[in-house]
Amino acid sequence: MSQNDVPDFAALLRSAERSAAHLEMRDVYAVGDEAEDFARFRRTGVHPDLDPDSAGWSGWVPLVRETVTRGVQMRRARIVSEPVTDYIRFEHAGTAVNLAAGEQVRWLPRRMASDIALPGNDLWLIDERLVLFHWFTGDGDWAGHEFNEDPAVVKMVTAAFETVWERAVPHEHFAV
């Protein structure tokens, strides 16, 4: 499928029947909708929005809650360099909202991923049947996405994610 054929993300997540796994591998993201919150975090060291019911999370938390309520396991694994970047500290501080919504989150220090065959891009894996790759610019802004159902790609992504998940540290035990 081409980039234009990628379904709306909410529809994609709603299509999940058993699992939705998210693999993040960048140390810095610079997506526009986070810029103000990240700037505030850098000034204060405090995440500006930890209320899962706030307007700032209204596009994500209800979708996660709906998905988890349907019995779908949502897991997010983040591979990070150490010492962590300011952005990773920002993500770590905000992860309380992901957990409150029903996601499971783990962190893997990059040095522990050296022998894992990893895909080249961040991704979502839905029901071990389809992958949504996300592309970012060198500065961390959105650059596009691609949907992939090739069984060999899905198998590789599934193996990579499961290996990362097995090695990764649960959020509550990962200090930044």
Side-chain angles (χ1 to χ4, degrees):
M1 290 187 137
S2 74
Q3 181 175 341
N4 295 332
D5 295 329
V6 176
D8 170 80
F9 183 76
L12 183 64
L13 198 53
R14 286 184 177 116
S15 76
E17 296 176 2
R18 296 176 311 285
S19 64
H22 188 33
L23 182 59
E24 298 177 32
M25 299 182 285
R26 295 183 55 90
D27 288 320
V28 174
Y29 294 88
V31 293
D33 60 344
E34 294 179 336
E36 187 177 315
D37 285 348
F38 181 49
R40 189 174 308 135
F41 175 82
R42 290 186 77 189
R43 285 192 309 275
T44 66
V46 177
H47 197 287
D49 186 2
L50 293 177
D51 178 3
D53 297 316
S54 73
W57 290 99
S58 65
W60 183 247
V61 170
L63 181 60
V64 173
R65 287 178 175 158
E66 169 194 321
T67 303
V68 171
T69 298
R70 289 188 295 107
V72 175
Q73 180 185 45
M74 287 192 66
R75 298 181 294 165
R76 179 184 301 258
R78 293 174 170 146
I79 300 174
V80 297
S81 299
E82 294 178 304
V84 299
T85 63
D86 287 344
Y87 186 85
I88 295 301
R89 277 192 282 284
F90 169 70
E91 274 193 329
H92 190 272
T95 297
V97 175
N98 299 87
L99 298 171
E103 287 186 68
Q104 299 170 50
V105 180
R106 293 187 182 180
W107 303 81
L108 183 66
R110 193 170 308 281
R111 63 183 160 69
M112 296 174 63
S114 296
D115 62 343
I116 303 171
L118 294 167
N121 295 289
D122 287 12
L123 61 91
W124 278 91
L125 172 64
I126 306 296
D127 291 333
E128 297 179 8
R129 65 178 167 80
L130 58 97
V131 180
L132 176 61
F133 287 108
H134 291 296
W135 306 320
F136 295 89
T137 66
D139 292 333
D141 202 359
W142 290 108
H145 49 255
E146 180 179 48
F147 183 70
N148 192 307
E149 295 179 283
D150 180 308
V153 172
V154 171
K155 182 179 179 182
M156 179 271 297
V157 165
T158 300
F161 183 86
E162 293 304 329
T163 301
V164 168
W165 188 257
E166 180 180 298
R167 293 183 188 182
V169 178
H171 175 74
E172 58 274 11
H173 299 295
F174 187 76
V176 294

